[in-house]
Amino acid sequence: MIVTLVVVAAVVVLALTAAVAWREHRHFVDAEEGRRRDDELHRRQEHEVVESETRLRLSLDAITQGVIMADPDGTVLYRNPYAQPFIEARHGEALVEAAVAELLAEAARGRAVEREVELFGPPRQCLFVSAMPLRFEGRDYGSVALIDDITEPQRLDAMRRDFVANISHELRTPMGALSLLAETLAEETDPEVLSRLAVRVQAEAIRLSDIMDELLELSRIESNEASEQAPVAIQHVISEALTRVMPTAEDKEVPIETVLPALDLVVRADRRQLTSAVFNLLDNAVKYSEANQPVRVTTRMEGDWVEVEVRDLGYGIPQGHQERIFERFYQVDRSRGRSDGGVGLGLAIVRHVATNHGGEVRVESKVGEGSAFTLAVPVSDDEPVGQEDSQDLKPIGVQA
Ligand code: ADP
C-alpha cells in the first residue's frame, strides 16, 4: 500500500514536473516565435524606410532646381546634383555658396527668405535663391534652400519688354506725324498745300500699314502656325521675290542680276515664307545700295543644301553689328534704315524662316564694299508641286 502510494505520488510529481516543463517550453517557443515575428516586422519596416528614403533622394536628385538641406545647427546634410556646381567654390559660385549659407542661417531662425544672385560669368547667370525653415508639429528639423536658374525667363521677359517698347516707338513716329499733319490740314486753305499735305498723310499711313504688315508676318512666321511645307522649285521662289522687289529696284535704279543653275533645285518649303525671306534679302540689298550698284542673286547646290546668295556692292555692315542685325528691331544706322522705310524686322523674319526650314542664314560684309547674305535650306528629292500659278514668271537677268 505504501509502495503504491509512493509510486502514485512519484507519478503525480513526475506528471506535474513534466507539465511545468512543457508549459515553460511552450512559453519559450511562443516567446521565440513572437521575437522572430517582431524582428521580421522590424526588418520590413526598416526596409520600407530605406526604400522610401531612396525614392525621395532619387526624386530630389532628378529635379532641375538646387536643393540644399541643413540640420538645426546649419550643418549641410544633403545637396542634390543640380546644386553641386553652384557650391563648388570657384569665383562666381562662391557668391552663391555665401548666399545659401546666409539664407539657411536666417531660415533656421524661423523666417522664409529669398534673394537674387547675379553671376557675371561668362556666361552671365541669374539665380533665385530661397530658404525656409523645416518645422513640423512644433519640432525643428532644420532648413532647406532652393536654387532656381532664372537667366532664361529673365532674358525672355526683357525681350518681351523691349519688343513692346520698340513697337510703341515705331508706331508713335508715324502716328505723331499724322496727328501734326491733321492739325495743319485743318487750318490750311491753299489747295496746293492741301494736296501736298494729303500726299504726306498717305505716305505716313502707308508706313503704318507696312509696319503692321511686317509685324504680322513676323508673328506668323515665328509661331510657324498654318505652315504647310511642300516640294517647291527654288527658281519659282526667286521669281516671285524678284517680282515683288522690282518696283523699288527700278525706283532706285539698282539693277538685279540672277544666276541660276541649269537644273531645277527643289526644297521642301512653305513657299510663302521662303519667298518672304528671299524678298527681304533682296529688298535690303536694294535699300542699302546706291544707284547703279548692281545686286546679284545666285542659286546653287552645295552638298545637300540649296543656297540662295544675295550679294550687293552697297554700304556694307560693320563687323560688330553682323550678328545683332538678325535681332528684332535692330538697325545699324537708325536714321538710314528709317528713311528707307525699314523697322528692323526683315532679317529677323529671314532667320526664323531659315530655322523653320532646318536651314540657316549667314552674312559676310565689309563696310564700303558691300554684303553677301546666304540662305541655305536642305535640298529635296521630291517632284515640285503647285507651281502652275507662277509658270509665267521667268527669272530676270543672266543665267549661269
Ligand atoms: P530694316 O528694316 O532696317 O532693313 P532688317 O532687319 O532687314 O531691318 O535689317 C537690319 C539692319 O541690318 C538694317 O537696318 C541695316 O542696318 C542692316 N542691313 C541689312 N541688310 C543690309 C545690307 N544688304 N547692306 C547693309 N546693311 C544691311
Side-chain angles (χ1 to χ4, degrees), residues 284 287-288 312 317 325 330-332 342-347 371:
N284 279 348
K287 257 192 325 199
Y288 301 110
D312 65 63
I317 305 159
I325 52 176
Y330 192 85
Q331 294 183 303
V332 177
V343 266
L345 293 177
L347 290 178
S371 313

Side-chain angles (χ1 to χ4, degrees), residues 86 107 124 137 174 186 300 315 319:
F86 299 118
R124 192 194 143 269
E137 293 180 345
R300 58 177 173 245
Y315 310 136
Q319 184 72 38

Side-chain angles (χ1 to χ4, degrees), residues 268-286:
R268 269 197 81 77
D270 179 314
R271 184 163 150 184
R272 189 189 149 138
Q273 283 193 16
L274 207 57
T275 306
S276 172
V278 176
F279 164 75
N280 273 297
L281 292 180
L282 284 167
D283 190 45
N284 279 348
V286 170

Side-chain angles (χ1 to χ4, degrees), residues 322-339:
Q322 287 178 17
E323 188 44 41
R324 298 211 58 196
I325 52 176
F326 295 96
E327 293 171 16
R328 293 183 289 195
F329 295 108
Y330 192 85
Q331 294 183 303
V332 177
D333 178 345
R334 285 206 156 231
S335 56
R336 181 186 285 161
R338 290 262 171 71
S339 65

